[in-house]
Amino acid sequence: MKYVPLYLAAVLLLCLAPMPYGYFTLVRVLATVVFGIYAYRCYVGKKEGLTLVFATLALLFQPFAKVGFNRVIWNVIDVIVAIGMVVLFFWERKNREKAEQGNNPIPPNSSFKVDMVEEAHHDGRLSRLVITKDFRLLLPDFNHMEIKMEPLTKAVYLLFLNHPEGIVFKDLPSYRNELAEIYGKLRPGGLTDRASQSIEDVTNPLLNSINEKCARIRGAFVGQFDDHMARHYYIDGRRGEAKKISLPRELVVWE
C-alpha cells in the first residue's frame, strides 16, 4: 500500500481529461477497492473518524448504484480526493520514518558510535546478544550497549529470536498465544484488554502493525550503529518468505 495513494491520485486526475467511458468505470472499481481496504484497516485500528471517511468514499465511488452528479461536480470531487490521497501518502511516509528512528538512538556524531563501527568493520566481529532475566537486551562486546524497545516491540523481537528458522507473516496468527505469553512476562501487571488487542493486531497479517514493529526494531539497532552491523540483529527477509534474525544463535545468550 506504500505508493497506492499516489497511484490513485494520478488516475483520479486523469478523469479531468476526455477519457473513454470504460476508464471511468475502472477508476470507480479501483477507488472502491482502495477505500474499502483503508476503511477496514482503520476500523481494525479503532480509528473511527478515518473509518467513516474511507467508508463514505468507497460508497461514493462504488460502480453498482452510481451517484448521479454531473461532470463538473465529479471533477471537483476527483481533485479534492486526489489532493487528499497525496496528503495521505506523505502522512504515512512520515509515520514510517518516525517508526524507523527507533528508541534512544546514539547521536550520529557520537564519537563512541564512530569508533565502535570502525573497529567492528576492521575485524568483522559481532557482539553477543544477552537477554537478561528482566529481559533487557545487552551487547556486552560493544561496551555493554543496551538496546531499548517498547514492551510489545521487544516481545515481537523475542518471539523471532525463539524461531531461528524464521516466521512467515501470513502464519503469524499461529504464534499469537506464544507472543501473548512473552508479552505477559514483560508486563508484570498482566495483559489488559487493550494489550490483548495489540497482540491480535500485530499477529494479523492484513494489518500494518507487524511491519511497524519490525521497523522500530530495525531503528533501535541502526540508531546505535550502521546497517552493515545492525542487519545481523534485526528482523529481515524477502517479501513472501520467512522473516528472521540472522545473528548466529551461538551468540545469543539467555540468562
Side-chain angles (χ1 to χ4, degrees):
M1 298 288 289
K2 187 175 181 180
Y3 293 103
V4 168
L6 290 184
Y7 297 148
L8 184 56
V11 299
L12 286 172
L13 292 177
L14 283 176
C15 290
L16 303 180
M19 306 297 288
Y21 181 80
Y23 178 80
F24 297 105
T25 301
L26 179 62
V27 171
R28 282 178 172 273
V29 173
L30 177 62
T32 302
V33 172
V34 171
F35 293 138
I37 292 174
Y38 269 104
Y40 173 75
R41 290 174 59 180
C42 291
Y43 172 76
V44 174
K46 299 187 182 302
K47 301 175 181 177
E48 291 83 0
L50 288 176
T51 300
L52 180 60
V53 170
F54 286 118
T56 301
L57 288 173
L59 291 174
L60 178 63
F61 280 88
Q62 52 79 28
F64 307 107
K66 299 179 181 178
V67 179
F69 293 141
N70 60 40
R71 179 67 182 274
V72 175
I73 294 178
W74 270 116
N75 284 348
V76 172
I77 292 174
D78 290 337
V79 171
I80 293 175
V81 175
I83 293 174
M85 297 308 290
V86 173
V87 172
L88 175 65
F89 168 77
F90 286 105
W91 179 72
E92 289 185 329
R93 188 173 73 172
K94 183 177 180 180
N95 286 341
R96 285 194 298 269
E97 290 174 349
K98 285 183 178 179
E100 290 174 357
Q101 289 175 359
N103 301 301
N104 302 317
I106 294 178
N109 60 351
S110 167
S111 59
F112 170 73
K113 177 180 177 181
V114 173
D115 293 343
M116 183 200 68
V117 172
E118 288 181 351
E119 181 181 353
H121 272 291
H122 180 71
D123 58 21
R125 66 180 173 82
L126 296 172
S127 173
R128 292 164 293 161
L129 173 63
V130 175
I131 301 89
T132 66
K133 292 180 180 180
D134 57 351
F135 299 104
R136 296 166 62 207
L137 302 176
L138 302 178
L139 300 175
D141 304 310
F142 289 165
N143 200 30
H144 293 281
M145 178 188 297
E146 180 177 0
I147 304 298
K148 295 185 178 181
M149 303 177 189
E150 297 173 350
L152 182 54
T153 303
K154 183 181 289 187
V156 171
Y157 187 71
L158 295 178
L159 173 68
F160 277 81
L161 270 182
N162 282 340
H163 295 276
E165 74 281 4
I167 298 174
V168 181
F169 280 0
K170 68 180 181 65
D171 296 331
L172 279 170
S174 301
Y175 297 87
R176 186 168 294 159
N177 291 338
E178 183 178 353
L179 179 61
E181 182 178 352
I182 296 172
Y183 193 28
K185 294 178 181 178
L186 300 178
R187 294 174 60 96
L191 297 181
T192 62
D193 291 341
R194 183 175 181 179
S196 298
Q197 182 62 53
S198 296
I199 292 173
E200 186 171 340
D201 291 346
V202 82
T203 53
N204 185 343
L206 298 178
L207 300 181
N208 196 46
S209 181
I210 183 62
N211 292 307
E212 293 175 352
K213 298 301 180 293
C214 288
R216 289 184 180 275
I217 290 168
R218 179 181 181 275
F221 286 101
V222 174
Q224 304 290 4
F225 40 88
D226 71 2
D227 192 72
H228 177 79
M229 299 296 294
R231 63 185 176 85
H232 297 283
Y233 294 91
Y234 61 70
I235 300 168
D236 197 17
R238 295 181 178 179
R239 177 173 296 184
E241 298 181 359
K243 303 293 192 298
K244 63 181 69 175
I245 298 169
S246 63
L247 184 69
R249 286 310 185 266
E250 60 268 21
L251 294 179
V252 179
V253 180
W254 298 80
E255 288 188 346

